[in-house]
Amino acid sequence: MGRRALPVVVAVLGAVPVLSGLLGIVIGPEALPGGGPVNATIDSEYRFTNTFWLAAGLLIWWSLRRPDERADVTRVILAIAALGSIPRLVSVAATGWPHPVFVGALVLELFVVPLVIWWHVRTIGRVSTS
């Protein structure tokens, strides 16, 4: 079951940055739950950074076409997403708790994504560097 379920879970995880990245690029910060109008600098930066978020999701999906050969790509992107929980925690300490959607994102990045990485390593195994 693990070998069949894992790609589905990874594909769903990849859908999050694809969909939210596209929304962020097209609609801007107003697409955020609790978001609203911002100045041009914040709007520009927000849309720019969502390009990387979109690219991360697309790379996750790309890696699923050859999961054994591209396992490192999957794991690196998932690890970067997990590390994203650290700046979210810094934000909580600096400004307080965000909208519940982003509390959910924090939980996902802090707990679920590392479990998926562990599952990925156990299911796909270590990738040779040769």
Side-chain angles (χ1 to χ4, degrees):
M1 167 162 157
R3 184 81 178 174
R4 284 187 279 191
L6 180 62
V8 173
V9 170
V10 172
V12 170
L13 285 176
V16 172
V18 168
L19 295 174
S20 63
L22 282 172
L23 279 173
I25 291 166
V26 174
I27 298 173
E30 291 189 24
L32 289 169
V38 296
N39 66 41
T41 300
I42 292 173
D43 185 275
S44 174
E45 186 67 11
Y46 182 79
R47 292 175 197 258
F48 172 79
T49 57
N50 269 283
T51 303
F52 291 95
W53 191 226
L54 170 63
L58 293 174
L59 280 170
I60 287 281
W61 284 353
W62 171 80
S63 73
L64 289 170
R65 296 194 66 212
R66 294 189 182 140
D68 294 314
E69 294 173 27
R70 298 173 180 168
D72 286 342
V73 172
T74 303
R75 293 174 193 158
V76 166
I77 293 170
L78 291 175
I80 291 168
L83 288 172
S85 64
I86 296 168
R88 285 195 197 275
L89 290 171
V90 170
S91 177
V92 167
T95 64
W97 289 97
H99 187 279
V101 167
F102 296 103
V103 173
L106 174 61
V107 170
L108 186 75
E109 294 155 356
L110 196 57
F111 300 109
V112 175
V113 172
L115 284 173
V116 172
I117 295 168
W118 173 81
W119 182 17
H120 195 272
V121 169
R122 291 203 28 112
T123 303
I124 303 233
R126 303 242 178 242
V127 180
S128 70
T129 57
S130 56

